[in-house]
Amino acid sequence: MAPIIDRLFQRRVSLVFLGRTAAKPGGSDHAFTGVRDYQLSLAALLNLAAYLTGYAVRLPCMTQLSKTGQREATLGYFVEEQLVAMPVLVLAPGLFALVGHGTIASAMRFGFSNILNTPFTISGLAIGFFYAGLGLFLAFIYLDRRENTFCNSLFRLLKLLAGIAASYILTWWLHAPYPAGSS
């Protein structure tokens, strides 16, 4: 999606990053070797559609409003995005837990009402803290004035490295099994 948006906004796309983006599907082979069932539920498909729609809206907005090379515009966009995104990330699940029906809504109600009463409170809060920090730092990568194709590749690489680091930290901290293919 990033190279298409770069072209729509007539931004130069480096051939190195365009090639890296084109090679991404081939680089995912290792991640799919341990998967036995590739079927997705309707909820998973809707989630994927919402995720992609979010980026289809976010990248053009970011490109037009913040990738101007002006520090004030970039920081202003960042602050405004965080002022909207952070409350929505808490309020939307809270609203669903409040008015939703079924096992998912029930589990969310339990989670909200018992957030401080479980043996996983400290680890859950730590995960949330580090994920929020990762999100903030990665937002600045997306806001870099270079083309979205560059930013997207760097964003994905750093997110992958964070996931690998988190897997090994969980292995060490919670004595979880090692990640697949790392033995």
Side-chain angles (χ1 to χ4, degrees):
M1 189 180 310
I4 294 167
I5 291 169
D6 282 333
R7 291 288 184 206
L8 288 173
F9 283 88
Q10 288 139 14
R11 297 175 63 86
R12 184 188 66 80
V13 177
S14 166
L15 290 177
V16 171
F17 294 106
L18 190 58
R20 167 65 185 104
T21 300
K24 265 192 230 179
S28 302
D29 291 348
H30 181 71
F32 291 111
T33 56
V35 177
R36 303 215 190 310
D37 183 8
Y38 292 96
Q39 294 181 18
L40 293 175
S41 67
L42 178 61
L45 288 171
L46 290 173
N47 188 0
L48 180 61
Y51 179 81
L52 293 174
T53 301
Y55 274 102
V57 171
R58 185 182 189 202
L59 287 178
C61 287
M62 221 184 268
T63 300
Q64 190 170 15
L65 300 172
S66 75
K67 291 182 176 263
T68 62
Q70 297 174 348
R71 180 177 155 86
E72 296 80 22
T74 302
L75 291 176
Y77 181 88
F78 173 77
V79 169
E80 290 173 10
E81 184 180 70
Q82 296 305 310
L83 284 172
V84 171
M86 292 304 148
V88 167
L89 286 173
V90 174
L91 295 175
L95 182 63
F96 180 72
L98 191 63
V99 299
H101 300 289
T103 57
I104 295 174
S106 177
M108 290 178 77
R109 276 191 294 280
F110 178 82
F112 273 107
S113 61
N114 294 296
I115 194 166
L116 299 176
N117 300 333
T118 70
F120 302 107
T121 298
I122 299 297
S123 56
L125 291 173
I127 289 168
F129 174 79
F130 287 114
Y131 190 74
L134 177 67
L136 292 175
F137 286 111
L138 292 177
F140 280 110
I141 290 172
Y142 263 134
L143 290 171
D144 187 279
R145 67 181 182 172
R146 287 174 269 199
E147 73 267 17
N148 291 303
T149 306
F150 163 80
C151 297
N152 193 22
S153 295
L154 186 58
F155 176 91
R156 298 287 176 232
L157 173 67
L158 292 177
K159 205 168 179 184
L160 175 69
L161 291 175
I164 291 169
S167 296
Y168 280 99
I169 289 169
L170 288 173
T171 297
W172 168 77
W173 186 25
L174 300 176
H175 306 291
Y178 281 95
S182 66
S183 52

